[in-house]
Amino acid sequence: MGGRWLALETAERAWAATILRGNVYLAARDLARLTRGVILLAAVAWGTANLYYVYRAIGSVQLPRRLGDLEIVEAVPQRVLLAGTLACGIVYGLVLSLGTGDWWLQALLASRPPSFGIVDPVLHRDVGYYLGTLPWAVTCKNFALLATSTAALLVALLYLGIGSLRFHGWRPEASAHARAHLGLLLALLALTLVRAAVLDPAEAVAGLRGSLDRSVLEARIPGARVIAVLSGVTVLATLVWGVRERPRLLVAAWGALFLGALIVYGVVPGLVRTAPGDTVASERFEQLAFGSDWITQPPGAFPALAATVNALPVWDADRVATVVRRTRAMGLPRPAAGTVLVPAKSADGRASWLVVPGAGRDRIAGGWEPRAGRP
């Protein structure tokens, strides 16, 4: 594997040395490798630190062992347990960093976002924010949400396994060590939800939340502010539970956050009626991206749309070939000697074309070519 990597790297650098601006290609490869390495190190450090903190709470692990007819209990050495903890943290970090190979593109674009001077009609942000800043912010938010949620779930399962976390009905009870660790992870998760609620209006305007009409969008924007406030309250309640055991406060805060998210993102969009003919910003962005916004008004060089159409070339090579194919598709008899296109003048003075039998011609790509003589 090392030899293959070295061969590919050598070939890529040798190829880049033969082309103009090849150093830009090499700089992009180095930046991509650096970004991927930093993310991998952060993910491995995050997973290893959480698992090592759980390891500190474990006194000893005993496993049954059979010697002949005797069954004894043998303690696992601490160095073996520590090595397993570090190995699991590395595996967790590797899995968490999968799919981050192209993040350097978003990070580079977000470092210098473009400015187009065109603002959206809802949040009044420049289009460059949705193109440069928002994708990287959403990527970081999703990564933080995945890291905090998976770490909290994994740590909670481990504490349940060693007996440091129990549930009495719906109330969690944990040791001081486990409560502090879980409280910090859940507070980070709630803080990530605050960031998600702040970014949600921009994601909805950009079309990342699906097709939304203006009525649903206007109801979603204040709802996102409510979710951000509830998430902030949940952060404080979770920290209080981590320091002082207040299970009712913890359950009430997370229950209110879950109920509020259900109402804002599930119930309200179903109750708000769609406003007919109302266009949201994402459709405007799509028109700008595909250059179809000129349909609403003619280009500046022409007084009207009809004048624009009349100025377009009517009988280029592709259009003539299309007419000939349609004529044959209509079942008209095909001349044995081929076809010839003869220009003629119509009543209004504009050039038109007549398809008449003529000398033998061969069909080529994009037009017709005579076998002999002038076209």
Side-chain angles (χ1 to χ4, degrees):
M1 293 179 62
R4 182 177 183 275
W5 176 86
L6 182 61
L8 290 177
E9 188 68 17
T10 304
E12 292 290 343
R13 293 187 176 276
W15 171 80
T18 62
I19 63 174
L20 185 64
R21 304 291 183 179
N23 58 330
V24 178
Y25 173 75
L26 295 179
R29 285 174 57 86
D30 295 339
L31 180 60
R33 189 177 292 109
L34 177 63
T35 304
R36 190 182 310 169
V38 170
I39 295 173
L40 177 61
L41 288 177
V44 170
W46 169 259
T48 304
N50 282 285
L51 293 179
Y52 180 76
Y53 199 78
V54 177
Y55 160 79
R56 293 286 301 273
I58 300 175
S60 63
V61 176
Q62 297 179 352
L63 296 177
R65 183 179 178 184
R66 197 170 187 88
L67 294 176
D69 295 337
L70 299 177
E71 184 175 352
I72 63 174
V73 178
E74 185 177 7
V76 179
Q78 288 293 328
R79 61 179 182 274
V80 176
L81 196 59
L82 179 60
T85 300
L86 297 179
C88 290
I90 294 175
V91 172
Y92 173 82
L94 290 173
V95 174
L96 190 62
S97 62
L98 291 177
T100 61
D102 57 346
W103 284 13
W104 68 276
L105 290 170
Q106 300 179 5
L108 186 62
L109 189 60
S111 63
R112 295 181 180 179
S115 179
F116 296 93
I118 304 174
V119 297
D120 71 272
V122 181
L123 300 179
H124 306 289
R125 292 180 180 269
D126 190 88
V127 177
Y129 170 80
Y130 298 97
L131 180 64
T133 306
L134 183 62
W136 177 241
V138 172
T139 299
C140 294
K141 181 259 298 181
N142 292 336
F143 183 74
L145 186 62
L146 179 63
T148 52
S149 59
T150 53
L153 179 61
L154 180 61
V155 166
L157 292 176
L158 290 176
Y159 281 129
L160 281 172
I162 64 178
S164 296
L165 177 63
R166 298 183 181 90
F167 283 91
H168 289 279
W170 50 268
R171 293 182 303 175
E173 293 184 0
S175 63
H177 185 94
R179 191 172 64 250
H181 191 188
L182 277 176
L184 180 60
L185 287 178
L186 292 177
L188 291 176
L189 177 59
L191 191 62
T192 306
L193 295 178
V194 173
R195 180 60 175 169
V198 172
L199 291 177
D200 183 76
E203 294 182 47
V205 170
L208 301 180
R209 297 301 182 186
S211 179
L212 299 176
D213 58 87
R214 184 174 293 275
S215 301
V216 176
L217 192 60
E218 291 178 352
R220 190 184 183 102
I221 292 177
R225 299 192 184 101
V226 174
I227 298 301
V229 173
L230 290 177
S231 300
V233 173
T234 305
V235 172
L236 298 178
T238 306
L239 291 176
V240 170
W241 175 79
V243 177
R244 297 182 178 180
E245 192 171 3
R246 296 290 188 272
R248 293 183 178 179
L249 181 62
L250 177 70
V251 174
W254 281 96
L257 178 59
F258 176 77
L259 183 61
L262 181 63
I263 293 175
V264 171
Y265 301 127
V267 178
V268 173
L271 296 179
V272 178
R273 295 183 178 179
T274 303
D278 211 355
T279 304
V280 296
S282 59
E283 298 181 10
R284 171 64 176 164
F285 293 162
E286 188 175 356
Q287 292 177 357
L288 291 173
F290 287 96
S292 60
D293 56 325
W294 65 273
I295 297 178
T296 58
Q297 58 182 1
F302 301 95
L305 188 60
T308 306
V309 175
N310 292 333
L312 296 176
V314 180
W315 289 108
D316 53 11
D318 294 335
R319 295 176 187 271
V320 170
T322 301
V323 170
V324 174
R325 286 195 299 268
R326 290 179 179 176
T327 303
R328 294 176 179 176
M330 292 173 60
L332 298 179
R334 178 180 178 181
T339 57
V340 60
L341 304 177
V342 181
K345 289 292 184 179
S346 59
D348 58 357
R350 296 187 61 188
S352 60
W353 291 83
L354 300 177
V355 181
V356 298
R361 293 170 179 268
D362 294 332
R363 179 73 168 92
I364 63 174
W368 298 83
E369 185 70 17
R371 293 176 181 173
R374 297 178 57 189

mmCIF file of all heavy atoms in Angstrom, residues 108-124:
data_model
loop_
_atom_site.group_PDB
_atom_site.id
_atom_site.type_symbol
_atom_site.label_atom_id
_atom_site.label_comp_id
_atom_site.label_asym_id
_atom_site.label_seq_id
_atom_site.Cartn_x
_atom_site.Cartn_y
_atom_site.Cartn_z
ATOM 1 N N LEU A 108 -12.170 26.271 1.620
ATOM 2 C CA LEU A 108 -11.462 27.266 0.827
ATOM 3 C C LEU A 108 -12.410 28.324 0.290
ATOM 4 O O LEU A 108 -12.101 29.519 0.279
ATOM 5 C CB LEU A 108 -10.730 26.568 -0.329
ATOM 6 C CG LEU A 108 -9.818 27.441 -1.188
ATOM 7 C CD1 LEU A 108 -8.686 28.015 -0.353
ATOM 8 C CD2 LEU A 108 -9.270 26.641 -2.359
ATOM 9 N N LEU A 109 -13.591 27.907 -0.160
ATOM 10 C CA LEU A 109 -14.574 28.860 -0.669
ATOM 11 C C LEU A 109 -15.130 29.732 0.450
ATOM 12 O O LEU A 109 -15.399 30.916 0.255
ATOM 13 C CB LEU A 109 -15.707 28.109 -1.374
ATOM 14 C CG LEU A 109 -16.718 28.960 -2.144
ATOM 15 C CD1 LEU A 109 -16.019 29.755 -3.229
ATOM 16 C CD2 LEU A 109 -17.792 28.077 -2.754
ATOM 17 N N ALA A 110 -15.297 29.152 1.638
ATOM 18 C CA ALA A 110 -15.819 29.930 2.761
ATOM 19 C C ALA A 110 -14.793 30.930 3.284
ATOM 20 O O ALA A 110 -15.175 31.932 3.904
ATOM 21 C CB ALA A 110 -16.250 28.996 3.885
ATOM 22 N N SER A 111 -13.500 30.667 3.071
ATOM 23 C CA SER A 111 -12.487 31.613 3.535
ATOM 24 C C SER A 111 -12.546 32.923 2.767
ATOM 25 O O SER A 111 -12.221 33.981 3.316
ATOM 26 C CB SER A 111 -11.095 30.989 3.398
ATOM 27 O OG SER A 111 -10.791 30.720 2.028
ATOM 28 N N ARG A 112 -12.959 32.882 1.504
ATOM 29 C CA ARG A 112 -13.126 34.090 0.696
ATOM 30 C C ARG A 112 -14.433 33.980 -0.080
ATOM 31 O O ARG A 112 -14.437 33.705 -1.282
ATOM 32 C CB ARG A 112 -11.955 34.275 -0.271
ATOM 33 C CG ARG A 112 -10.624 34.532 0.424
ATOM 34 C CD ARG A 112 -9.512 34.729 -0.586
ATOM 35 N NE ARG A 112 -8.229 34.972 0.071
ATOM 36 C CZ ARG A 112 -7.087 35.165 -0.592
ATOM 37 N NH1 ARG A 112 -7.074 35.143 -1.921
ATOM 38 N NH2 ARG A 112 -5.959 35.379 0.076
ATOM 39 N N PRO A 113 -15.566 34.168 0.581
ATOM 40 C CA PRO A 113 -16.858 34.015 -0.116
ATOM 41 C C PRO A 113 -17.046 35.109 -1.156
ATOM 42 O O PRO A 113 -16.658 36.266 -0.941
ATOM 43 C CB PRO A 113 -17.878 34.136 1.022
ATOM 44 C CG PRO A 113 -17.185 34.925 2.073
ATOM 45 C CD PRO A 113 -15.739 34.540 1.998
ATOM 46 N N PRO A 114 -17.630 34.775 -2.297
ATOM 47 C CA PRO A 114 -17.854 35.789 -3.343
ATOM 48 C C PRO A 114 -18.993 36.717 -2.970
ATOM 49 O O PRO A 114 -19.798 36.426 -2.079
ATOM 50 C CB PRO A 114 -18.195 34.938 -4.579
ATOM 51 C CG PRO A 114 -18.814 33.704 -4.005
ATOM 52 C CD PRO A 114 -18.099 33.442 -2.702
ATOM 53 N N SER A 115 -19.064 37.817 -3.653
ATOM 54 C CA SER A 115 -20.149 38.792 -3.467
ATOM 55 C C SER A 115 -20.695 39.156 -4.836
ATOM 56 O O SER A 115 -19.952 39.605 -5.711
ATOM 57 C CB SER A 115 -19.635 40.032 -2.739
ATOM 58 O OG SER A 115 -20.667 40.984 -2.589
ATOM 59 N N PHE A 116 -22.008 38.948 -5.032
ATOM 60 C CA PHE A 116 -22.633 39.174 -6.329
ATOM 61 C C PHE A 116 -23.466 40.454 -6.371
ATOM 62 O O PHE A 116 -23.916 40.854 -7.432
ATOM 63 C CB PHE A 116 -23.532 37.991 -6.703
ATOM 64 C CG PHE A 116 -22.791 36.711 -6.895
ATOM 65 C CD1 PHE A 116 -22.633 35.817 -5.856
ATOM 66 C CD2 PHE A 116 -22.225 36.398 -8.121
ATOM 67 C CE1 PHE A 116 -21.942 34.630 -6.026
ATOM 68 C CE2 PHE A 116 -21.534 35.213 -8.305
ATOM 69 C CZ PHE A 116 -21.389 34.335 -7.255
ATOM 70 N N GLY A 117 -23.708 41.057 -5.205
ATOM 71 C CA GLY A 117 -24.552 42.240 -5.182
ATOM 72 C C GLY A 117 -26.026 41.951 -5.372
ATOM 73 O O GLY A 117 -26.805 42.875 -5.629
ATOM 74 N N ILE A 118 -26.427 40.688 -5.247
ATOM 75 C CA ILE A 118 -27.836 40.285 -5.381
ATOM 76 C C ILE A 118 -28.259 39.681 -4.041
ATOM 77 O O ILE A 118 -27.623 38.752 -3.554
ATOM 78 C CB ILE A 118 -28.017 39.254 -6.516
ATOM 79 C CG1 ILE A 118 -27.483 39.813 -7.836
ATOM 80 C CG2 ILE A 118 -29.481 38.869 -6.653
ATOM 81 C CD1 ILE A 118 -27.495 38.808 -8.965
ATOM 82 N N VAL A 119 -29.317 40.208 -3.451
ATOM 83 C CA VAL A 119 -29.779 39.743 -2.146
ATOM 84 C C VAL A 119 -31.069 38.963 -2.324
ATOM 85 O O VAL A 119 -31.846 39.198 -3.263
ATOM 86 C CB VAL A 119 -29.989 40.921 -1.175
ATOM 87 C CG1 VAL A 119 -28.680 41.641 -0.914
ATOM 88 C CG2 VAL A 119 -31.020 41.898 -1.720
ATOM 89 N N ASP A 120 -31.302 38.009 -1.408
ATOM 90 C CA ASP A 120 -32.538 37.237 -1.448
ATOM 91 C C ASP A 120 -33.669 38.079 -0.856
ATOM 92 O O ASP A 120 -33.441 38.937 -0.002
ATOM 93 C CB ASP A 120 -32.380 35.934 -0.680
ATOM 94 C CG ASP A 120 -32.295 36.155 0.812
ATOM 95 O OD1 ASP A 120 -31.166 36.378 1.309
ATOM 96 O OD2 ASP A 120 -33.326 36.113 1.486
ATOM 97 N N PRO A 121 -34.901 37.842 -1.267
ATOM 98 C CA PRO A 121 -36.017 38.677 -0.800
ATOM 99 C C PRO A 121 -36.518 38.337 0.593
ATOM 100 O O PRO A 121 -37.419 39.018 1.087
ATOM 101 C CB PRO A 121 -37.102 38.406 -1.845
ATOM 102 C CG PRO A 121 -36.815 37.036 -2.345
ATOM 103 C CD PRO A 121 -35.322 36.880 -2.305
ATOM 104 N N VAL A 122 -35.976 37.298 1.240
ATOM 105 C CA VAL A 122 -36.490 36.869 2.546
ATOM 106 C C VAL A 122 -35.575 37.330 3.673
ATOM 107 O O VAL A 122 -35.966 38.097 4.553
ATOM 108 C CB VAL A 122 -36.673 35.339 2.577
ATOM 109 C CG1 VAL A 122 -37.221 34.892 3.932
ATOM 110 C CG2 VAL A 122 -37.621 34.897 1.472
ATOM 111 N N LEU A 123 -34.327 36.864 3.659
ATOM 112 C CA LEU A 123 -33.373 37.216 4.714
ATOM 113 C C LEU A 123 -32.466 38.378 4.329
ATOM 114 O O LEU A 123 -31.680 38.832 5.162
ATOM 115 C CB LEU A 123 -32.507 35.998 5.062
ATOM 116 C CG LEU A 123 -33.259 34.766 5.575
ATOM 117 C CD1 LEU A 123 -32.291 33.629 5.850
ATOM 118 C CD2 LEU A 123 -34.062 35.086 6.824
ATOM 119 N N HIS A 124 -32.550 38.799 3.064
ATOM 120 C CA HIS A 124 -31.777 39.939 2.566
ATOM 121 C C HIS A 124 -30.275 39.695 2.727
ATOM 122 O O HIS A 124 -29.524 40.559 3.165
ATOM 123 C CB HIS A 124 -32.195 41.226 3.287
ATOM 124 C CG HIS A 124 -33.663 41.494 3.227
ATOM 125 N ND1 HIS A 124 -34.317 41.872 2.067
ATOM 126 C CD2 HIS A 124 -34.625 41.409 4.200
ATOM 127 C CE1 HIS A 124 -35.605 42.026 2.311
ATOM 128 N NE2 HIS A 124 -35.827 41.739 3.599
#
